Amino acid sequence: MVGLFRLVSGCPGPSGFGSASTAQEVTEGIDGTNLTALVTGGASGIGLETSRVLALRGVHVIIGARNMKAANEAKNKIVRENPRARIDVLELDLCSTSSIRSFADNFIALHLPLNILINNAGIMFCPFQLSQDGLEVQFATNHIGHFLLTNLLLDTMKNTVKATGIQGRVVNLSSIAHNYCYKKGIRFHKINDKQGYSEKRAYGQSKLANILHANELSRRLQEEGVNITVNSVHPGLIMTPLFRHSAAVMKLLKFFSFFLWKNVPQGAATTCYVALHPRLNGVTGKYFADCNEMRPSSYARNESLARELWEFSNKLISSVSVP
């Protein structure tokens, strides 16, 4: 009830920020000129706002996007507003393991540091379909794509930490929808089955996977003694291109629940807060909403499920692509 009151009222939580806070407000006064960040899906919606605000704080931002025309338009828009912005774009299709590997190779070839990885891109409520790798498309894009990308770039992040002494941060965009998933959380043995498929539960499953991935990666990095934090966030309810598969239904829902919805600058706030704020130094394996730590579902806190998902994801990637 406290969380709902804060959401509706915009009342700040322990962090000093709340649902009404914007990305610019939560990063006010932070100097990111010595940082490089990669934002997947950074050409539209809250990804674009995240890229814009990080660049405003001096961060060198790399936008990974499937639509290069939109990505270049986003870059130009940011630079017009902020001529000092450092923005680069690289092609990335998270639905394709070969595209992800090519992206990682291209990024590594730039010899750039990587301080912040924001796994932002996603798709939502899609009718059943398989990716070109033969994987259910929401699970493939929202989880497997980011799981593989993170693994491919992790050595770059570790090397950056060693060279600079600056803590690295990985931020996975999840959703409150992780509560609405399949029975037992992840249907490992039916991940690509059309029978029993629910577009909403499949989305919830992928968002649950985002949290489990963050938690397990956090645990592994802590065991290694690596100074990289990994957290997951719920950005809030925002009308973005994510809703293209259910626009009419969501507009109707928004009409009756307008007090629960955020605008895009508010929707990007939690991502930017977790990615950039010094208050989060050393904080890892947590789930945030409205710029405050929240308790996710019991499935999301299940360490055995997180380890099982990690092994399952590695086997799935090995079965559909050649390293």
Side-chain angles (χ1 to χ4, degrees):
M1 288 300 293
V2 174
L4 180 60
F5 171 76
R6 284 179 181 158
L7 173 62
V8 174
S9 66
C11 181
S15 69
F17 304 113
S19 61
S21 301
T22 67
Q24 281 193 215
E25 289 170 348
V26 304
T27 58
E28 185 67 38
I30 296 175
D31 181 6
T33 53
N34 58 343
L35 302 175
T36 300
L38 166 59
V39 183
T40 68
S44 64
I46 59 176
L48 173 56
E49 178 67 1
T50 298
S51 300
R52 185 189 74 83
V53 171
L54 291 183
L56 186 64
R57 303 305 175 214
V59 179
H60 180 188
V61 178
I62 314 298
I63 293 175
R66 181 172 57 180
N67 185 331
M68 289 299 287
K69 181 176 182 293
N72 281 299
E73 288 174 353
K75 173 184 175 179
N76 293 336
K77 179 180 179 181
I78 293 171
V79 172
R80 281 197 302 270
E81 178 188 308
N82 175 18
R84 295 185 179 181
R86 294 178 294 160
I87 303 282
D88 288 297
V89 298
L90 290 174
E91 186 173 4
L92 171 64
D93 182 355
L94 286 161
C95 201
S96 163
T97 54
S98 62
S99 173
I100 295 164
R101 293 184 186 281
S102 293
F103 172 90
D105 288 342
N106 292 335
F107 178 84
I108 292 168
L110 295 175
H111 301 292
L112 291 171
L114 182 58
N115 306 95
I116 303 167
L117 172 59
I118 300 179
N119 291 320
N120 163 85
I123 55 176
M124 184 179 190
F125 298 167
C126 303
F128 180 82
Q129 57 183 301
L130 298 178
S131 71
Q132 67 183 60
D133 293 314
L135 305 178
E136 189 277 308
V137 72
Q138 293 193 82
F139 192 76
T141 304
N142 297 349
H143 168 61
I144 291 295
H146 284 125
F147 179 86
L148 176 58
L149 178 67
T150 303
N151 284 351
L152 293 174
L153 296 179
L154 204 52
D155 281 344
T156 300
M157 292 197 76
K158 290 178 180 179
N159 291 336
T160 301
V161 170
K162 289 178 182 177
T164 65
I166 300 172
Q167 183 178 82
R169 297 188 184 187
V170 178
V171 183
N172 280 2
L173 262 74
S174 180
S175 168
I176 195 172
H178 81 272
N179 288 280
Y180 187 74
C181 56
Y182 292 110
K183 186 178 180 180
K184 297 184 180 179
I186 311 286
R187 57 178 203 167
F188 292 107
H189 304 297
K190 298 182 178 180
I191 204 73
N192 299 324
D193 289 1
K194 186 174 183 179
Q195 185 175 5
Y197 176 81
S198 161
E199 59 193 29
K200 294 178 178 59
R201 290 191 186 278
Y203 177 71
Q205 172 181 249
S206 71
K207 295 290 100 179
L208 170 62
N210 293 148
I211 301 177
L212 292 171
H213 169 220
N215 292 350
E216 178 63 10
L217 179 57
S218 172
R219 185 188 69 79
R220 288 168 178 256
L221 291 173
Q222 284 181 290
E223 278 191 355
E224 288 183 45
V226 178
N227 191 20
I228 298 174
T229 64
V230 193
N231 294 293
S232 50
V233 305
H234 165 53
L237 289 171
I238 310 104
M239 189 63 73
T240 73
L242 260 185
F243 289 111
R244 59 184 172 274
H245 293 290
S246 53
V249 174
M250 299 314 295
K251 285 178 181 178
L252 182 64
L253 175 62
K254 184 176 181 180
F255 178 80
F256 289 104
S257 58
F258 65 92
F259 52 88
L260 297 176
W261 291 69
K262 296 181 179 183
N263 57 37
V264 169
Q266 292 168 340
T270 305
T271 302
C272 289
Y273 174 74
V274 175
L276 212 55
H277 206 286
R279 188 179 293 133
L280 273 293
N281 284 341
V283 177
T284 189
K286 305 298 183 182
Y287 170 72
F288 291 83
D290 300 332
C291 299
N292 290 278
E293 185 182 333
M294 298 291 182
R295 185 178 173 89
S297 72
S298 58
Y299 284 140
R301 304 192 309 273
N302 188 318
E303 294 181 5
S304 296
L305 187 61
R307 287 192 289 271
E308 184 177 5
L309 176 65
W310 186 279
E311 297 304 322
F312 176 79
S313 300
N314 276 326
K315 289 178 181 177
L316 203 59
I317 290 168
S318 295
S319 72
V320 300
S321 60
V322 179

